[in-house]
């Protein structure tokens, strides 16, 4: 097998990338040194190509589980970038790619956040800006976060699907399922103490249930993102709470009181001070 200089250099780059991720060993020395001297160059390149394949497999397997910061020694922002790179800028894995989305909305916030909000999917503003919750519902989410005594930059915000469904329709099951492994990996990197599912789509997809919002709210669930393990190789665990989607609260502001109760429950779990009075409705 002969490889041109570009391919060799691409292979080397890839091997270095995996080496930096802590995946290895990169190749078997004995195999490389055992060939007849004449074949050495060819064998090295063969070995390199095989190693690249093996490493790609290993990385894929690892990706299915989790990129755990402690296991790899790589910082969480980089690990999130690896996930974003795996998705790619022009993901074609589901039909949303062909239904008018402008760009992928990966997620935003503190990679070390204790609190993660998960919505449904990007709307028009999010699709235009490439960031979750930046439209009217996002303004209200910002107010909810501020009412908890936090800044938006201190939490992590993502969605069940990363591409805008046409006309803001609810994402379909196959779209949610296709996107889910990437969201699970994000959760595996961030390792929040609490996830707040915003609205029925997020709640039902995360919890794999089909109950009403009324019955889902008001309590914590023990949540383990499928396929994600902690540093002891045990399923990663966190708490999950369900509350109303901010877009719903914009339509029915009377429910804000109930949402505030849900958020207070979360604040208590995170040891955040909980003021007795509900935040004022002004500007929200
Ligand atoms: N609604 C969502 O569910 N997610 C967003 O990012 C914006 C609006």
């Amino acid at each position: 097998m002969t490889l041109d200089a570009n391919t060799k250099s691409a292979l080397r780059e890839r091997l270095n990338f995996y080496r930096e991720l802590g995946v290895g060993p990169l190749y078997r020395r004995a195999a490389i040194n055992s060939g007849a001297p004449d074949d050495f160059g060819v064998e090295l390149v063969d070995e390199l190509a095989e190693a690249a394949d093996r490493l790609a497999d290993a990385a894929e397997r690892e990706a299915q589980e989790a990129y755990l910061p402690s296991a790899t020694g790589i910082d969480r922002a980089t690990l999130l970038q690896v996930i974003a790179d795996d998705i790619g800028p022009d993901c074609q894995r589901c039909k949303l790619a062909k239904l008018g989305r402008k760009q992928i909305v990966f997620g935003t916030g503190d990679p070390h956040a204790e609190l993660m909000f998960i919505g449904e999917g990007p709307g028009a503003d999010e699709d235009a800006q490439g960031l979750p919750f930046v439209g009217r519902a996002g303004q209200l989410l910002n107010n909810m976060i501020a009412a908890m005594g936090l800044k938006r930059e201190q939490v992590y915000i993502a969605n069940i699907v990363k591409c805008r469904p046409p006309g803001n329709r609810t994402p379909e099951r196959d779209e949610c399922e296709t996107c889910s492994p990437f969201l699970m990996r994000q959760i595996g990197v961030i390792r929040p103490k609490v996830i707040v599912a915003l609205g029925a789509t997020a709640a039902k997809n995360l919890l794999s249930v089909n109950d009403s919002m009324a019955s889902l709210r008001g309590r914590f669930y023990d949540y383990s993102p499928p396929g994600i393990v902690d540093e002891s190789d045990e399923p990663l665990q966190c708490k999950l709470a369900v509350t109303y989607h901010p877009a719903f609260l914009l339509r029915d502001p009377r429910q804000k009181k109930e949402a505030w109760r849900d958020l207070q429950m979360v604040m208590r779990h995170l040891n955040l001070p909980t003021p007795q009075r509900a935040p004022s409705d002004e500007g929200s």
Side-chain angles (χ1 to χ4, degrees):
M1 169 178 165
T2 50
L3 296 178
D4 61 30
N6 282 344
T7 312
K8 274 190 225 169
S9 129
L11 276 172
R12 267 201 191 94
E13 231 171 71
R14 193 161 176 185
L15 286 169
N16 278 337
F17 172 69
Y18 290 129
R19 198 177 281 123
E20 279 165 17
L21 277 182
V23 181
L26 293 180
Y27 51 78
R28 291 189 215 108
R29 272 179 202 289
I32 286 176
N33 291 334
S34 66
D38 285 354
D39 290 329
F40 185 83
V42 174
E43 277 213 2
L44 177 63
V45 171
D46 274 349
E47 192 68 25
L48 213 49
E50 267 176 35
D53 282 345
R54 277 202 306 277
L55 290 168
D57 288 346
E60 193 135 329
R61 268 200 310 282
E62 194 164 302
Q64 313 247 307
E65 293 165 4
Y67 284 106
L68 283 175
S70 58
T72 60
I74 298 173
D75 71 87
R76 294 183 192 196
T78 305
L79 293 165
L80 289 172
Q81 188 56 50
V82 170
I83 302 171
D85 290 346
D86 284 351
I87 296 171
D90 185 30
C91 177
Q92 299 287 325
R93 292 173 180 83
C94 87
K95 57 185 180 304
L96 291 179
K98 302 256 183 315
L99 295 176
R101 71 106 211 268
K102 290 199 180 71
Q103 58 184 315
I104 283 148
V105 177
F106 180 71
T108 188
D110 182 357
H112 291 263
E114 291 193 337
L115 176 58
M116 183 165 177
F117 288 94
I118 300 182
E120 179 174 311
D125 294 309
E126 291 75 21
D127 187 44
Q129 294 185 41
L131 289 168
F133 284 98
V134 289
R136 272 192 76 219
Q139 287 299 314
L140 179 50
L141 178 60
N142 291 348
N143 291 345
M144 290 159 71
I145 293 167
M148 298 176 81
L150 295 169
K151 295 195 177 79
R152 181 177 159 109
E153 305 74 54
Q154 290 177 290
V155 304
Y156 196 90
I157 307 174
N159 280 306
I160 293 291
V161 293
K162 301 195 187 313
C163 292
R164 182 191 181 198
N168 296 345
R169 69 153 165 76
T170 305
E172 292 173 1
R173 179 192 279 260
D174 60 309
E175 297 157 357
C176 298
E177 283 176 358
T178 304
C179 224
S180 170
F182 299 106
L183 178 61
M184 296 306 116
R185 283 172 60 188
Q186 285 172 283
I187 296 170
V189 168
I190 297 158
R191 293 190 275 167
K193 276 193 185 151
V194 178
I195 292 173
V196 175
L198 296 167
T201 301
K204 290 178 184 183
N205 273 283
L206 291 167
L207 295 171
S208 303
V209 294
N210 198 17
D211 300 343
S212 69
M213 274 300 283
S215 67
L216 288 168
R217 286 188 43 248
R219 52 166 288 206
F220 276 122
Y221 298 81
D222 291 318
Y223 181 66
S224 289
I228 305 296
V229 293
D230 64 15
E231 48 282 279
S232 319
D233 234 19
E234 298 296 327
L236 184 76
Q237 289 188 3
C238 63
K239 296 287 177 196
L240 188 148
V242 176
T243 195
Y244 291 119
H245 193 288
F248 170 78
L249 295 175
L250 287 172
R251 292 195 297 275
D252 187 356
R254 284 169 311 171
Q255 302 302 327
K256 283 183 185 172
K257 251 193 304 192
E258 293 302 314
W260 178 234
R261 270 192 215 191
D262 298 330
L263 297 182
Q264 282 184 305
M265 179 182 82
V266 170
M267 290 160 71
R268 282 191 293 274
H269 188 76
L270 294 175
N271 292 322
L272 296 169
T274 51
Q276 290 310 300
R277 261 164 34 91
S280 101
D281 266 1
E282 256 175 69
S284 53

